[in-house]
């Protein structure tokens, strides 16, 4: 299949299933673009998620812009943005005609409850996969992961601040490593 | 000019909603209910409920809904466009920087730390979703036994299928929805 068409249809499909918040797009994109198509590598996907999370706007839209840009440049990004907004646009467009009936429909809420339970499982699955790749590394990234988790989950610190703090630690760590290697050489 | 007003309101929402999702609800409310009275508070509560029931970011859902209510399909297009415009400009700029400079060892190091944070954030989102799916609320209830049994079974089954057979998450979600409807129709739960 034509690569651009494949990119567009994949994004359409993924967007139509992004229930339960923006982060859900990460495991879906990972499955399609990292595992199935091999267009993006594992580490890169995490980098793109970090950028998507720290930019203004919806995570799902930001993440698809990044994936589109990576795969096919500026045009690719426009294509993935379209692919991401068409499903919610069409669905809300139709539902707005009879949204009260939709909201109160028992079958809809039952199906949604079931899907939500599996979306939770999808996120747990991807967290385990991603965390195990962090645990293979040095101690500092593991400590940062645990600290970030506590900061976001229990201390309710703004996510952007946590990201900036981690970036600062990253810079300090790089400077320290640099000095040490120079010192060892001299 | 209603189109320009819609466009400008949703550009502001697009710029200001950092952190995504639930952080953007008060921003949308400030524009749509308080500043412009495009929706009543009841309608706004309805659209947040519907946004949770449908796929896609809440800001896009709200933009489409408000646009249609206020100025029909062209209004929805304009509002949605406004909503994503800031993202497109900012994220594409960042993407350019990322692909230009990610080879530098300093950038590499910063990114490797950010990966840890990202995993932590997704883990936090995952726990919130598990609580929402099991108990129907975002806060853990005092009575942990009041768990929804259907959700718990679907969660466990999905988790096993995903880890063991690496089935595509989209199929797992579709099957789970169908299963929940079947259980409801047969057993009334």
């Amino acid at each position: 299949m034509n690569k651009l068409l494949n990119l567009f249809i994949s994004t359409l499909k993924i967007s139509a299933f992004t229930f339960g918040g923006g982060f859900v797009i990460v495991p879906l994109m990972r499955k399609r673009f990292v595992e199935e198509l091999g267009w993006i590598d594992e580490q890169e996907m995490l980098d793109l998620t970090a950028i998507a999370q720290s930019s203004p706007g919806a995570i799902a839209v930001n993440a698809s812009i990044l994936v589109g840009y990576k795969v096919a440049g500026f045009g690719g990004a426009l294509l993935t943005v379209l692919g991401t907004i068409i499903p919610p646009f069409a669905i809300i467009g139709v539902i707005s005609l009879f949204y009260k009936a939709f909201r109160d429909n028992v079958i809809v809420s039952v199906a949604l409850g079931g899907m939500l339970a599996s979306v939770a499982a999808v996120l747990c699955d991807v967290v385990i996969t991603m965390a195990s790749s962090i645990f293979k590394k040095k101690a500092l990234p593991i400590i940062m992961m645990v600290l970030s988790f506590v900061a976001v989950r229990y201390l309710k610190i703004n996510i952007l601040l946590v990201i900036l703090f981690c970036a600062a630690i990253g810079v300090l760590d790089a400077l320290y490593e640099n000095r040490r290697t120079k010192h060892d050489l001299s | 000019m209603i189109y320009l007003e819609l466009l400008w309101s949703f550009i502001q929402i697009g710029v200001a909603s950092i952190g995504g999702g639930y952080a953007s609800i008060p921003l949308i409310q400030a524009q749509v209910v308080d500043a412009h009275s495009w929706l009543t508070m009841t309608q706004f509560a309805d659209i947040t409920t519907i946004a949770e029931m449908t796929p896609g970011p809440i800001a896009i859902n709200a933009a489409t809904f408000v646009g249609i209510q206020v100025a029909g399909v062209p209004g929805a297009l304009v509002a949605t466009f406004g909503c994503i415009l800031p993202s497109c400009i900012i994220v594409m700029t960042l993407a350019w920087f990322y692909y230009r400079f990610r080879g530098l060892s300093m950038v590499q190091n910063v990114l490797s730390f950010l990966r840890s944070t990202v995993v932590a954030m997704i883990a936090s989102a995952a726990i919130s979703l598990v609580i929402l799916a099991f108990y129907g609320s975002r806060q853990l209830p005092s009575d942990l036994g009041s768990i929804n049994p259907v959700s718990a079974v679907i969660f466990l089954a999905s988790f096993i299928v995903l880890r063991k057979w690496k089935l595509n998450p989209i199929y797992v979600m579709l099957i789970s929805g169908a299963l929940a409807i079947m259980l409801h129709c047969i057993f009334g739960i």
Side-chain angles (χ1 to χ4, degrees):
Chain A
M1 198 186 342
N2 180 312
K3 193 171 185 180
L4 288 178
L5 188 64
N6 196 350
L7 179 68
F8 181 66
I9 291 175
S10 301
T11 331
L12 268 184
K13 248 173 40 192
I14 289 170
S15 174
F17 284 89
T18 311
F19 288 91
F23 274 128
V24 176
I25 206 164
V26 176
L28 302 183
M29 284 186 153
R30 200 186 146 274
K31 181 79 190 172
R32 184 68 183 150
F33 297 116
V34 178
E35 282 186 13
E36 291 177 1
L37 296 169
W39 288 350
I40 294 175
D41 68 50
E42 190 86 47
Q43 301 294 311
E44 200 178 357
M45 191 68 223
L46 281 174
D47 295 346
L48 298 185
T49 310
I51 300 173
Q53 170 67 59
S54 25
S55 312
I59 301 169
V61 173
N62 295 350
S64 28
I65 293 173
L66 290 162
V67 167
Y69 184 89
K70 149 78 189 192
V71 174
F74 185 72
L78 290 183
L79 213 56
T80 47
V81 168
L82 265 186
T84 304
I85 59 171
I86 286 173
F89 189 89
I91 291 167
I92 293 289
V94 172
I95 286 175
S96 70
L97 302 174
F98 54 92
Y99 71 93
K100 289 205 170 75
F102 176 83
R103 183 195 58 193
D104 300 331
N105 188 297
V106 179
I107 294 295
V108 171
S109 65
V110 163
L112 199 82
M115 288 177 76
L116 205 60
S118 66
V119 171
V122 168
L123 270 192
C124 289
D125 171 57
V126 81
V127 166
I128 293 175
T129 309
M130 285 175 164
S132 59
S133 80
I134 304 271
F135 275 113
K136 284 179 198 140
K137 290 189 203 150
K138 295 182 291 182
L140 201 50
I142 300 174
I143 296 171
M144 293 309 294
M145 181 165 70
V146 176
L147 284 181
S148 309
F149 180 78
V150 173
V152 171
R153 176 103 208 132
Y154 298 105
L155 308 178
K156 312 272 180 215
I157 295 174
N158 187 306
I159 284 177
L160 199 63
L161 285 179
V162 178
I163 287 181
L164 287 176
F165 181 74
C166 282
I169 299 281
V171 172
L172 289 178
D173 182 64
L175 291 175
Y176 174 75
E177 288 281 327
N178 245 337
R179 257 182 72 183
R180 214 181 49 185
T181 32
K182 264 187 206 146
H183 191 79
D184 288 347
L185 288 175
S186 59
Chain B
M1 176 72 179
I2 186 68
Y3 295 120
L4 282 178
E5 279 179 44
L6 276 172
L7 183 69
W8 180 232
S9 274
F10 277 93
I11 286 179
Q12 290 176 61
I13 292 169
V15 171
S17 55
I18 297 180
Y22 299 98
S24 59
I25 293 179
L27 295 168
I28 302 172
Q29 188 191 332
Q31 286 293 329
V32 164
V33 182
D34 304 339
H36 292 283
S37 315
W38 284 325
L39 296 186
T40 63
M41 200 50 220
T42 322
Q43 281 177 309
F44 184 73
D46 285 342
I47 178 62
T48 48
T49 313
I50 291 163
E52 284 197 46
M53 300 170 78
T54 53
I58 177 155
I60 304 284
N61 291 338
T64 311
F65 188 81
V66 172
I68 286 185
Q69 300 285 325
V70 176
V73 173
L77 286 172
V78 168
T80 307
F81 176 72
C83 191
I84 59 163
L85 187 63
S87 292
C88 287
I89 297 168
I90 294 164
V91 175
M92 270 189 226
T93 313
L94 289 175
W96 184 85
F97 275 105
Y98 169 72
Y99 284 109
R100 181 98 173 67
F101 296 111
R102 69 167 169 160
L104 299 177
S105 68
M106 173 71 96
V107 177
Q108 277 290 328
N109 212 55
V110 170
L111 286 171
S112 84
F113 278 82
L114 288 189
R115 286 174 201 137
S116 305
T117 320
V118 167
V119 174
M121 288 183 308
I122 301 179
S124 175
I127 293 173
S128 300
L129 262 189
V130 171
I131 295 173
L132 183 64
F134 282 9
Y135 297 106
S137 81
R138 297 199 171 269
Q139 240 76 56
L140 206 58
S142 48
D143 174 22
L144 292 179
S146 63
I147 188 169
N148 179 335
V150 177
S151 296
V153 169
I154 290 179
F155 172 83
L156 280 178
S158 307
F159 186 74
I160 293 168
V161 166
L162 285 162
R163 284 223 68 81
K164 226 176 157 170
W165 293 295
K166 313 244 170 256
L167 197 66
N168 191 316
I170 291 179
Y171 299 137
V172 178
M173 286 158 72
L174 279 176
I175 295 167
S176 301
L179 194 68
I181 294 177
M182 262 167 53
L183 289 173
H184 174 79
C185 292
I186 299 170
F187 302 107
I189 44 177

